[in-house]
């Protein structure tokens, strides 16, 4: 897979220009996490709940305010949804043009790189705004690890979005990419954070490990979830590999 | 009447001719319902829960899948047929007839999705008033379907429209999940609040609260009026989002 950096820059720049022409997307993407974190902070009671978090090989009980707990769950779901939707629609919109670009000499590697860079950029901006707004209510103890957990969760869904966008049409793809994070984070993820004895299959869901990292880094002074971070990264690398292969195959075959 | 039937048939055909769409309709409700139940299994029976947690989960899953599937369908239905609808209006087709066609299709879709969700739920939960429960599921589908029409007419782009729908769905899914505790009036403003509570009463006690029915109907009427204004307006404006937003801002 060859990559010409001038071409890569050109495709990233045109994708950016195309999306900046329509600032509604950026505004919505930035406002969604702010709105969701704000709404849940307004609606949740000022109570706290005891959550078991990993500590030195075992578990330790930590009191977490419901607003903070729900706020982090909402922030994760918003960022994952934006990642997934951006991945899916960037690929959907670029499908035809990318096949034409391959015909005129662009390498699939350059196109894949450009699309990934755009998704990464969008996710980075949304995460910046999300963490900034979340900090008004809860400042994670280990903020760099927290951002890393959020970033990995979002990129996992960004890659899933690319896969879904390549394989499915818009309606079916939207069904999948909207239902998946909502169930995975809001329902299963929330459940796995507040309960330690969840079924084993919860652990293979995309958000399980990133959420463990986020809660550990948000509410304890020491990172005890490096293994979870490792699993999250493996998840991301495997999914990226599959997404790159499928995207490569589709753009080459036109 | 024949215009209406043609429009409904056309929309139904364009959805159901794709096997994948049909497969998703059959797969998503059981997945969501059993997923909600599985995540509730680990929860103890909390004081604010009057029903076993897994049943609460299944009920929430049924309402959510019926509503959300119809909502996305409503959104995409309007966006994908916007240009064709504009041409029909130019040739003299009444805008209101077009809107009624869209709503009739949503109703039909909601009947089907709610039927699937209900069937899945009824295999594991004892439903006290089946007809009422089914009716309230359809109601939740209609609420979200109308919301999809409003959003699709106001912002006729798939990505942006889906994100706007998320503003409601994400919070609504969490609020109506049944396993978080809230103490604000805010959740009551979300579309699924009343249909969810009506559905739960119908399933658990076989009853319903008249006030909740009233609020749900008012919600639907308000959304219908908004849909009428936004949809008919969208038939004469440019499809460009920027144009539309500048149009709103005068």
């Amino acid at each position: 897979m060859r990559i010409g950096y001038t071409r890569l820059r050109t495709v990233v720049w045109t994708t950016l220009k195309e999306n900046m022409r329509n600032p509604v997307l950026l505004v919505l993407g930035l406002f969604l996490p702010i709105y969701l974190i704000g709404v849940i902070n307004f609606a949740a009671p000022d109570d706290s709940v005891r959550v078991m978090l990993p500590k030195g090989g075992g578990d330790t009980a930590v009191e977490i305010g419901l607003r903070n707990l729900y706020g982090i769950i909402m922030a994760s779901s918003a960022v994952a949804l934006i990642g997934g939707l951006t991945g899916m629609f960037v690929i959907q919109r670029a499908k035809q043009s990318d096949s034409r670009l391959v015909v005129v000499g662009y390498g699939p590697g350059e196109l894949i790189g450009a699309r990934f860079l755009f998704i990464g950029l969008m996710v980075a901006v949304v995460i910046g705004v999300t963490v900034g707004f979340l900090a008004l209510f809860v400042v994670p103890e280990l903020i760099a690890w927290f951002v890393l957990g959020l970033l990995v969760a979002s990129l996992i869904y960004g890659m899933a979005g690319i896969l879904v966008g390549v394989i499915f049409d818009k309606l079916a793809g939207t069904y999948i990419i909207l239902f998946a994070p909502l169930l995975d984070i809001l329902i299963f993820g929330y459940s796995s954070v507040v309960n330690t004895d969840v079924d084993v299959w919860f652990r293979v869901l995309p958000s399980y490990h990133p959420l463990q990292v986020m809660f550990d880094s948000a509410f304890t002074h020491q990172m005890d979830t490096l293994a979870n971070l490792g699993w999250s990264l493996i998840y991301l690398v495997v999914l990226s590999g599959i997404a790159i292969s499928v995207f490569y195959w589709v753009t080459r075959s036109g | 009447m024949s215009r209406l039937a043609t429009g409904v048939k056309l929309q139904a055909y364009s959805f159901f001719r794709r096997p994948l769409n049909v497969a998703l309709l059959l797969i998503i409700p059981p997945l969501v319902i059993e997923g909600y139940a599985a995540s509730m299994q680990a929860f103890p029976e909390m004081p604010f829960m009057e029903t076993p947690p897994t049943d609460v989960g299944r009920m929430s899953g049924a309402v959510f899948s019926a509503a959300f599937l119809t909502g996305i369908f409503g959104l995409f239905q309007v966006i994908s047929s916007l240009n064709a609808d504009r041409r029909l209006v130019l040739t003299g087709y009444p805008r209101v007839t077009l809107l009624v066609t869209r709503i009739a299709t949503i109703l039909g879709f909601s009947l089907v999705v709610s039927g699937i969700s209900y069937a899945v739920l009824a295999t594991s939960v004892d439903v006290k008033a089946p007809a009422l429960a089914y009716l309230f599921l359809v109601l939740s589908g209609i609420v979200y379907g109308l919301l999809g029409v409003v959003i699709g007419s106001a912002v006729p782009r798939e990505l942006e429209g889906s994100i706007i729908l998320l503003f409601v769905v994400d919070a609504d899914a969490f609020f109506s999940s049944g396993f978080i505790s809230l103490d604000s009036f805010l959740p009551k403003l979300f579309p699924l609040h009343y249909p969810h509570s009506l559905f739960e009463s119908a399933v658990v006690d076989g009853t319903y609260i008249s006030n909740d029915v009233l609020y749900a109907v008012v919600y639907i009427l308000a959304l219908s009026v908004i849909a009428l204004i936004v949809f008919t307006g969208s038939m004469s404006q440019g499809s460009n989002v920027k144009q539309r937003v500048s149009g709103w801002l005068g």
Side-chain angles (χ1 to χ4, degrees), chain B residues 108-157:
Chain B
F109 189 86
S110 181
L111 286 168
V112 174
V113 179
S114 302
I116 297 168
S117 298
Y118 179 81
V120 175
L121 179 87
T123 56
S124 44
V125 176
D126 179 28
V127 182
K128 290 287 186 316
L132 266 184
Y134 177 63
L135 179 75
F136 294 139
L137 268 188
V138 175
L139 201 73
S140 59
I142 294 172
V143 171
Y144 259 93
L146 284 170
L147 199 65
V149 171
V150 171
I151 295 170
S153 308
V155 185
R157 287 176 69 112

Side-chain angles (χ1 to χ4, degrees), chain A residues 19 21-25 28-29 31-32 35-36 39-40 42-47 66-67 70 73-74 77-78 81-82 85-86 89-90 93 168-176 178-179 182-183 186-188 190-191 194-195 197-199 201-202, chain B residues 15 18 20-21 24-25 28 31-32 35-36 38-44 64-65 68-70 72-73 76 109 155 157-160 162-171 173-175 177 179-187 190 241-242 245:
Chain A
N19 285 283
R21 257 198 328 226
N22 170 21
V24 178
L25 170 64
L28 288 175
F31 189 59
L32 182 70
Y35 158 82
L36 288 173
V39 161
I40 203 70
F42 182 78
D46 194 14
D47 293 337
L66 282 179
R67 288 177 179 167
Y70 296 164
I73 290 283
M74 276 301 190
S77 76
L81 280 161
I82 298 284
L85 276 175
T86 309
F89 279 97
V90 162
R93 285 176 183 176
F168 300 105
D169 67 17
K170 279 180 186 166
L171 178 60
T174 307
Y175 273 138
I176 296 168
L178 291 190
F179 265 105
L182 285 175
L183 280 178
L186 292 187
I187 309 303
F188 300 125
Y190 172 69
S191 183
V194 295
N195 297 291
D197 61 339
V198 289
D199 288 344
W201 59 267
F202 274 57
Chain B
F15 181 87
R18 293 173 199 269
L20 186 65
N21 289 348
L24 286 172
L25 271 198
I28 290 176
L31 205 68
V32 174
Y36 266 72
S39 67
M40 293 294 275
Q41 244 161 14
F43 277 86
F64 183 60
S65 60
F68 195 27
L69 281 167
T70 315
I72 298 175
F73 174 77
F76 276 76
F109 189 86
V155 185
R157 287 176 69 112
E158 285 104 347
L159 175 55
E160 289 78 358
S162 305
I163 294 180
I164 293 177
L165 192 63
L166 277 180
F167 276 76
V168 186
V169 170
D170 202 334
F174 203 41
F175 289 161
S177 63
F179 52 69
I180 66 166
S181 131
L182 299 163
D183 69 348
S184 160
F185 68 94
L186 199 67
F190 278 79
V241 178
K242 210 170 173 180
V245 172

Side-chain angles (χ1 to χ4, degrees), chain B residues 62-100:
Chain B
V63 175
F64 183 60
S65 60
F68 195 27
L69 281 167
T70 315
I72 298 175
F73 174 77
L75 175 78
F76 276 76
Q77 181 193 214
V78 171
I79 294 174
S80 62
S81 56
L82 185 80
N83 286 335
D85 284 354
R86 283 197 179 128
R87 279 186 221 117
L88 283 172
V89 168
L90 280 176
T91 59
Y93 213 91
R95 295 165 193 214
V96 176
T97 311
L98 275 175
L99 178 63
V100 172

